[in-house]
């Protein structure tokens, strides 16, 4: 089945460590996005990519990094520079001029 | 500003209509969306409207768009307990190299039996 998959569903990290969240899609979409969700703040855009080997910062990119080496994959690294990384992270994909974006089921990251 | 704004909470009784409101900021937005999020899950697209439309109806869902006031609403007829979720409006913004989907803060809909 076509879809977008995030893994893992739950992730725990010690303070000061980097961690990478996986996002894979088999929908043949060119564009992919990472959002962060915090209670009462909706979804905020971290990074997005419209094509392989290209990506752009969203509204809250500080402390995060991404790569887009393959069309299907858009991993997000939460670095130790991110001051408040505990959140629910959502990945999405779409065609470049879309009518909708498709979302993964999310990864809940907790820093302990 | 960049904000897409929604009220945080709405409570209705089962069988009543629900109306969730949203205000957006970019008059050049081409598409506006309503997404539904159930607890611990990703977002599911409910419906969208193109900016040259005033209204779109899809079964129990009615979307109204007032471009002059930059106001979008979602009406759910005959609300059921299964409609309890967070509802997000979103606008798509284009400009140069920019192609972003900007979300509102979300409205938690609680349906009382």
């Amino acid at each position: 089945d076509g879809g977008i998959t995030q893994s893992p569903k739950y992730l725990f990290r010690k303070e000061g460590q980097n961690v990478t969240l996986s996002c894979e899609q088999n929908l043949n979409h060119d564009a992919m996005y990472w959002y962060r969700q915090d209670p009462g703040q909706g979804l905020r855009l971290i990074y997005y990519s419209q094509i392989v080997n290209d990506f752009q910062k969203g509204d809250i990119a500080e402390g995060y990094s991404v790569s887009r080496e393959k069309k299907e994959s858009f991993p997000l690294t939460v670095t130790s520079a991110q001051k408040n990384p505990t959140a629910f992270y959502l990945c999405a994909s779409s065609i470049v001029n879309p009518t909708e974006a498709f979302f993964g089921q999310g990864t809940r990251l907790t820093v302990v | 500003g960049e904000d897409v704004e929604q009220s945080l909470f709405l409570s209705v009784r089962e069988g009543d209509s629900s109306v969730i409101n949203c205000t957006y900021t970019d008059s050049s937005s081409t598409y506006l969306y309503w997404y539904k999020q159930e607890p611990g899950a990703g977002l599911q697209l409910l419906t969208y409207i193109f900016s040259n439309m005033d209204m779109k109806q899809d079964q129990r869902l009615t979307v109204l768009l007032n471009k002059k006031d930059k106001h979008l609403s979602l009406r759910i007829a005959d609300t059921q307990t299964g409609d309890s979720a967070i509802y997000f409006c979103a606008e798509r913004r284009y400009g140069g190299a920019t192609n972003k989907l900007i979300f509102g803060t979300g409205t938690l809909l609680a349906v009382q039996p």
Side-chain angles (χ1 to χ4, degrees):
Chain A
D1 286 352
I4 181 165
T5 303
Q6 290 185 242
S7 61
K9 190 171 174 65
Y10 299 97
L11 189 56
F12 294 87
R13 187 195 92 176
K14 288 187 179 178
E15 202 167 331
Q17 289 180 337
N18 292 353
V19 64
T20 297
L21 282 60
S22 169
C23 180
E24 303 276 333
Q25 53 97 3
N26 61 3
L27 299 166
N28 201 32
H29 287 165
D30 286 306
M32 296 186 75
Y33 313 82
W34 274 106
Y35 290 88
R36 171 185 170 134
Q37 184 178 18
D38 296 283
Q41 294 195 52
L43 275 67
R44 293 181 289 169
L45 182 64
I46 304 172
Y47 269 98
Y48 65 107
S49 166
Q50 297 190 72
I51 198 166
V52 174
N53 292 322
D54 182 62
F55 49 82
Q56 295 179 52
K57 291 183 179 180
D59 301 314
I60 55 163
E62 187 176 349
Y64 299 98
S65 66
V66 292
S67 63
R68 188 83 188 279
E69 296 174 4
K70 297 188 300 181
K71 189 176 186 178
E72 300 80 18
S73 178
F74 190 41
L76 173 74
T77 297
V78 184
T79 75
S80 57
Q82 169 50 236
K83 298 302 178 194
N84 185 20
T86 295
F88 190 53
Y89 290 87
L90 285 160
C91 179
S93 72
S94 71
I95 62 175
V96 173
N97 291 311
T99 53
E100 69 173 295
F102 293 83
F103 280 81
Q105 291 299 297
T107 293
R108 184 165 299 280
L109 172 65
T110 303
V111 174
V112 297
Chain B
E2 286 270 317
D3 292 345
V4 178
E5 295 187 350
Q6 300 177 237
S7 54
L8 289 180
F9 183 73
L10 175 65
S11 179
V12 300
R13 289 189 182 276
E14 191 173 20
D16 289 349
S17 292
S18 307
V19 180
I20 303 171
N21 295 301
C22 170
T23 56
Y24 60 98
T25 57
D26 190 343
S27 58
S28 65
S29 295
T30 53
Y31 289 99
L32 296 134
Y33 305 83
W34 283 104
Y35 281 85
K36 177 182 180 182
Q37 185 183 35
E38 296 183 356
L43 272 65
Q44 173 195 358
L45 179 69
L46 287 177
T47 187
Y48 65 91
I49 189 167
F50 191 53
S51 57
N52 67 355
M53 298 168 65
D54 297 323
M55 185 182 88
K56 180 177 180 181
Q57 187 156 2
D58 183 1
Q59 298 182 16
R60 291 191 299 123
L61 306 179
T62 303
V63 179
L64 295 177
L65 175 60
N66 180 332
K67 275 198 83 171
K68 175 175 170 292
D69 295 337
K70 300 193 187 83
H71 183 262
L72 182 74
S73 68
L74 174 69
R75 179 176 179 271
I76 306 173
D78 188 24
T79 313
Q80 303 297 307
T81 54
D83 294 324
S84 293
I86 301 176
Y87 290 81
F88 291 95
C89 67
E91 58 172 332
R92 180 160 295 281
R93 295 182 189 168
Y94 296 100
T98 296
N99 178 5
K100 298 196 290 187
L101 193 60
I102 306 297
F103 284 83
T105 49
T107 299
L108 174 62
L109 175 64
V111 182
Q112 311 298 325

